[in-house]
Amino acid sequence: MSTIEAWYMVNNVTDQTAENRMDPNKPVTLSDLRDLGVLHWHLPPLSDYPAKAVPWEPQGIQDKELAKIRDSRGYNYADIITCSEECLPDYHNKLKAFFEEHIHSDEEVRYILKGSGYFDVRDRKDRWIRIKLTAGDLIVLPEGIYHRFTMDSKNFTQAMRLFKGVPVWTPINRPADSHLSRERYLQRFQPLEEEQTLRSTIVSCLRSFFQQGWCLGSSGAMACRVASATAAAGAPMLVTPSGVPKEQLESEDLFLVATTGELLKIPSRAAKVSDSASVFQAVFDRRSDVTAVCHIHSVASVLATENQEVLRVRGTEMIKGLGVPGDGVLVVPIIDNKATEPELVPELLRVLEKYPMAPAVLVRDHGAYIFGSSAEKAKIATECLGFILDLEMRRGRTEALEAPLKRRRCGPSVVLLDIEGTTTPISFVKDKLFPYAASAVASWVETAELAEVARDYEKQCKEDQVPFNAAAPKEEVLRLTKEWIAKDRKVPALKDLQGKLWKHGYERGELKGEMFEDTPQAMAQWVAAGKRLAIFSSGSREAQRLIFKYTHQGDLSCFLSAYFDPKSAQASKQEAKAYAEIALSLGIEATEGLFCTDVLGEAQAASKAGWKTVLLKRPGNAPLPPQHGFREATSLLDV
């Protein structure tokens, strides 16, 4: 490939054969053209070609470079066309047709043998770029790009046209945005503009972090999904290189990495991609809401991990920059450092499952990974967390270190809540959630997720020692779902499916979580008093999160630190083992916890494990037996 002359055109063209440059001239580089999918070679013609517009396949061609290009790109058809008043019938009308803006359903390939002319192409902002072609220029315009052709003032061009398979020269005039070829072009080349913007943003972010002392030496890293390139889950990511000082980083130093780990674009001066790449990809795989991750190594991020498992900060204005309400609690989990960063992934995924909306993760004696829904928001979150960590360091001790002393003075440190009959009326679950799932499953069984759920249902049937008709999975899943809901079975297969169905309902606004009037107020008061709140319910953790996120009183999930179900607690709600496991997961002694429920058997199991327990008497709850030995309350505000 060689250079080629191209420039942006003026808006109003009166003479299409003139250069029509802007004033001052605004040139376009070969690299810019490649980003639009336009390819160029310069091959001085070595043969004498005929002037007729007929198919032509010369034997023993002397142009070896041309033959090499034709073979590598699969061109198996060629003809010669000469554009001049003498050689082209109906010359002037043909030129008008050539200059109509259009696309083709395949590549347009022209090899200029004699004379000269112009190809005009649209850039991603719909501006015209004029490309000057002379003898020896071979140009490839991708399928679906808007373009046109015109002669220059010399009115003579002889060119070879090349094609794959049977040639189709029919132009598809604009508008053609809904044409499949145009859609394919946009899918293939439109993301490049986003990629270039992201490259500049990443470089700017890391240079800023270097100035603040967070990426000294060659430490620190950042990654962003190029989200519009494909479906979000399969989007490639831009990743910083390893070993390049961040104050020297340039946009062309970044790697483009596929979800498979394949390096799609490799910079010329960088030896390898950042060691954090596997961590970045794990975050993107787990968190569909995250498209950018920053990794810093600040002094404060290391000191903040001492003597605690989770960083909790409240009452600081800057927590809003990490998506936490001003009256909420910032929760950042902490994981142990490993010899290499890929070894961090399993523990990182575990804490992201436990804290599904965590805005960041701290790595003990290492640094921090901070998440954002965009590169700009990740930068803001990183700067806000940097401020918060610096503030905590200057105070000499964090609020998390003070919390154990407060808890000893102020009673339980954790309040564990049941849902049905405790925070939420029983009627909501039985009269709204269960019927919604029973109704919605009929359309859901037509989705691609059926096979996985059918396997879970078949496994449960084997445990129940009842038959499962694997030849008719749709009918079996429909039948068993309605049967198990009617019997209020707590089996994991049903709970997981109900969670999927309810998620759809909540997100579409068809479902709203119902809470007793005192629930939001009590939760706010407990959090303000420095207590952590957690949920333990028979429903899946996803179903628990949804019922608190989408309520008539707004999003209450901000008050909650953790969700537990029998599966994660490794025992049923009426086994003491479950409550011992929950205490261990929360990092507390069981005696520091308070469990609120409406079921006597659950209260007895929690008490046996060492938890303080309160039984709720709510409208619609089953009556409690006399002299059961536990404290009672009619409102969470009385607990």
Side-chain angles (χ1 to χ4, degrees):
M1 279 191 190
S2 66
T3 58
I4 189 171
E5 189 177 12
W7 58 87
Y8 278 102
M9 296 180 65
V10 295
N11 291 327
N12 298 318
V13 174
T14 56
D15 179 3
Q16 68 187 57
T17 66
E19 290 188 339
N20 290 296
R21 297 175 187 263
M22 299 180 72
D23 186 17
N25 182 45
K26 188 176 180 182
V28 176
T29 67
L30 184 59
S31 176
D32 295 331
L33 293 177
R34 282 200 297 268
D35 283 347
L36 296 173
V38 178
L39 304 180
H40 170 261
W41 289 261
H42 187 76
L43 311 167
L46 300 178
S47 298
D48 200 11
Y49 297 95
K52 294 183 179 180
V54 294
W56 184 71
E57 184 69 27
Q59 300 296 319
I61 186 172
Q62 297 176 24
D63 306 43
K64 294 182 180 179
E65 291 302 314
L66 174 60
K68 189 183 299 182
I69 293 170
R70 292 175 62 189
D71 292 343
S72 67
R73 297 188 63 81
Y75 302 135
N76 55 9
Y77 172 96
D79 70 8
I80 306 296
I81 182 170
T82 301
C83 295
S84 68
E85 291 192 61
E86 296 77 20
C87 296
L88 186 64
D90 198 16
Y91 176 74
H92 293 289
N93 286 329
K94 289 283 179 66
L95 284 191
K96 288 180 182 178
F98 292 160
F99 203 61
E100 285 287 325
E101 184 174 359
H102 61 279
I103 65 171
H104 291 297
S105 58
D106 206 329
E107 293 180 345
E108 178 157 353
V109 188
R110 293 289 185 276
Y111 177 36
I112 307 300
L113 304 174
K114 297 178 181 179
S116 53
Y118 300 120
F119 266 106
D120 300 338
V121 297
R122 292 279 195 182
D123 73 358
R124 278 183 286 274
K125 295 182 179 178
D126 220 31
R127 299 171 298 183
W128 278 118
I129 295 172
R130 173 150 285 189
I131 306 169
K132 182 178 178 63
L133 299 175
T134 58
D137 286 325
L138 190 157
I139 191 170
V140 178
L141 303 184
E143 168 195 4
I145 191 172
Y146 280 124
H147 68 284
R148 63 194 183 192
F149 172 78
T150 185
M151 306 290 285
D152 59 17
S153 58
K154 297 177 182 177
N155 281 307
F156 179 81
T157 304
Q158 185 186 70
M160 180 185 295
R161 303 188 295 184
L162 296 106
F163 207 85
K164 299 175 184 177
V166 179
V168 179
W169 303 117
T170 306
I172 304 158
N173 288 345
R174 189 168 187 173
D177 290 344
S178 60
H179 194 278
L180 181 59
S181 293
R182 182 62 181 171
E183 291 177 351
R184 279 198 290 252
Y185 174 79
L186 292 176
Q187 183 179 21
R188 182 179 177 190
F189 293 106
Q190 196 71 17
L192 288 168
E193 185 172 13
E194 178 194 1
E195 180 186 325
Q196 294 304 320
T197 301
L198 283 176
R199 285 175 178 270
S200 298
T201 303
I202 290 172
V203 169
S204 175
C205 286
L206 288 171
R207 287 183 176 178
S208 172
F209 297 160
F210 169 79
Q211 292 294 330
Q212 297 179 73
W214 300 343
C215 296
L216 299 179
S218 62
S219 68
M222 187 171 177
C224 292
R225 274 175 164 165
V226 188
S228 66
T230 180
M237 62 177 177
L238 282 169
V239 188
T240 48
S242 175
V244 177
K246 299 308 174 283
E247 75 276 17
Q248 299 175 14
L249 190 67
E250 300 292 344
S251 59
E252 59 268 23
D253 293 332
L254 306 183
F255 287 81
L256 185 66
V257 185
T259 55
T260 59
E262 178 188 0
L263 300 180
L264 303 177
K265 290 185 181 179
I266 303 173
S268 58
R269 76 161 178 163
K272 62 189 289 283
V273 71
S274 169
D275 290 338
S276 297
S278 56
V279 177
F280 295 145
Q281 190 61 61
V283 174
F284 293 147
D285 290 343
R286 179 55 59 93
R287 292 278 295 273
S288 60
D289 60 311
V290 174
T291 68
V293 182
C294 300
H295 179 39
I296 62 171
H297 297 263
S298 66
V299 173
S301 67
V302 172
L303 293 179
T305 63
E306 294 181 353
N307 304 316
Q308 55 184 332
E309 300 300 321
V310 178
L311 173 71
R312 299 178 190 276
V313 179
R314 60 176 59 82
T316 298
E317 179 71 13
M318 297 293 271
I319 63 176
K320 295 178 181 178
L322 290 107
V324 180
D327 58 352
V329 181
L330 170 65
V331 178
V332 181
I334 300 170
I335 63 176
D336 289 331
N337 194 21
K338 302 294 182 182
T340 65
E341 287 182 271
E343 294 177 75
L344 297 174
V345 171
E347 183 66 8
L348 176 83
L349 293 176
R350 187 190 71 79
V351 297
L352 288 182
E353 182 177 1
K354 186 174 181 180
Y355 302 95
M357 299 308 294
V361 172
L362 291 169
V363 182
R364 200 179 311 280
D365 298 322
H366 183 121
Y369 288 92
I370 308 95
F371 317 140
S373 59
S374 68
E376 292 78 8
K377 290 185 178 179
K379 177 178 182 288
I380 290 171
T382 302
E383 290 171 342
C384 289
L385 182 63
F387 174 89
I388 291 166
L389 296 176
D390 192 47
L391 181 64
E392 295 296 318
M393 180 180 68
R394 293 186 186 189
R395 285 175 174 167
R397 53 180 177 171
T398 65
E399 291 184 19
L401 290 173
E402 296 172 351
L405 296 175
K406 292 181 180 178
R407 289 198 290 266
R408 292 189 185 96
R409 294 195 299 267
C410 305
S413 63
V414 172
V415 178
L416 184 65
L417 298 169
D418 172 48
I419 296 178
E420 188 178 354
T422 300
T423 64
T424 300
I426 287 178
S427 59
F428 172 68
V429 178
K430 296 191 179 299
D431 298 344
K432 293 188 178 179
L433 284 185
F434 286 173
Y436 181 88
S439 172
V441 71
S443 59
W444 183 90
V445 293
E446 302 297 332
T447 69
E449 296 182 81
L450 173 66
E452 181 182 351
V453 172
R455 286 194 296 269
D456 292 341
Y457 271 48
E458 185 175 10
K459 180 180 178 182
Q460 184 61 47
C461 286
K462 287 181 180 178
E463 292 181 10
D464 296 342
Q465 296 184 339
V466 297
F468 179 88
N469 185 5
K474 292 182 182 179
E475 293 76 8
E476 284 293 84
V477 170
L478 277 170
R479 177 183 67 83
L480 289 168
T481 297
K482 293 178 180 180
E483 177 185 313
W484 290 349
I485 288 176
K487 293 179 179 179
D488 194 16
R489 294 201 65 187
K490 310 294 187 185
V491 293
L494 173 63
K495 293 301 179 183
D496 288 344
L497 175 56
Q498 285 176 320
K500 297 176 188 292
L501 299 173
W502 292 333
K503 183 176 188 292
H504 182 75
Y506 282 116
E507 291 177 347
R508 289 169 59 94
E510 296 169 356
L511 287 174
K512 286 283 188 183
E514 293 183 11
M515 300 289 151
F516 287 113
E517 187 176 347
D518 55 273
T519 298
Q521 187 178 351
M523 293 173 76
Q525 289 183 3
W526 285 328
V527 169
K531 303 182 188 305
R532 286 186 286 165
L533 306 187
I535 299 297
F536 186 26
S537 175
S538 58
S540 68
R541 287 181 291 175
E542 174 66 1
Q544 297 172 26
R545 184 184 70 84
L546 291 168
I547 199 173
F548 286 99
K549 182 173 180 61
Y550 300 96
T551 79
H552 289 292
Q553 294 95 333
D555 185 356
L556 303 182
S557 62
C558 61
F559 295 120
L560 296 166
S561 299
Y563 302 90
F564 297 94
D565 59 8
K567 183 178 179 180
S568 61
Q570 303 179 30
S572 77
K573 293 184 71 179
Q574 299 202 23
E575 293 181 79
K577 176 186 174 183
Y579 300 89
E581 180 65 28
I582 290 172
L584 187 62
S585 296
L586 293 171
I588 63 169
E589 298 293 334
T591 53
E592 293 182 70
L594 171 67
F595 179 51
C596 301
T597 181
D598 64 314
V599 179
L600 178 59
E602 295 175 3
Q604 291 170 334
S607 179
K608 184 177 179 181
W611 287 69
K612 300 177 181 65
T613 309
V614 175
L615 283 168
L616 273 296
K617 297 178 70 175
R618 297 286 206 180
N621 287 6
L624 295 169
Q627 299 180 344
H628 50 66
F630 292 96
R631 180 183 161 202
E632 293 181 358
T634 58
S635 167
L636 291 177
L637 293 171
D638 298 333
V639 171

